[in-house]
Amino acid sequence: MKSYFRFLSRNKLYTFINIAGLVVSLMFIILMGDYTWRQYSIDSWHKNADRIYLVGRPHLSGR
């Protein structure tokens, strides 16, 4: 582990690219998790939340 940290300290651009990639990927994971959480919790406060349905027409993918 000590040699890996020495490698990172000598290669600043490589370290920056790795950390930036980690930050961006974690940001997208948090955003997708938040979006999913909000979609499943819409109208859950309502007294008859189990009786709420979405009415619409199905997507026609053959066009």
Side-chain angles (χ1 to χ4, degrees):
M1 196 69 161
K2 184 177 177 181
S3 64
Y4 181 67
F5 286 129
R6 187 179 310 125
F7 171 77
L8 290 178
S9 67
R10 291 180 184 165
N11 298 299
K12 302 290 184 188
L13 181 62
Y14 178 81
T15 304
F16 174 75
I17 291 171
N18 275 336
I19 291 175
L22 178 65
V23 167
V24 170
S25 64
L26 285 175
M27 177 190 66
F28 279 110
I29 288 173
I30 290 170
L31 285 174
M32 287 187 331
D34 182 56
Y35 177 76
T36 303
W37 180 263
R38 289 176 186 267
Q39 288 298 315
Y40 279 111
S41 65
I42 290 177
D43 293 334
S44 62
W45 55 270
H46 198 277
K47 181 175 74 169
N48 296 322
D50 58 331
R51 298 175 63 187
I52 296 175
Y53 292 96
L54 174 66
V55 178
R57 64 181 233 198
H59 178 67
L60 302 173
S61 61
R63 291 181 156 185

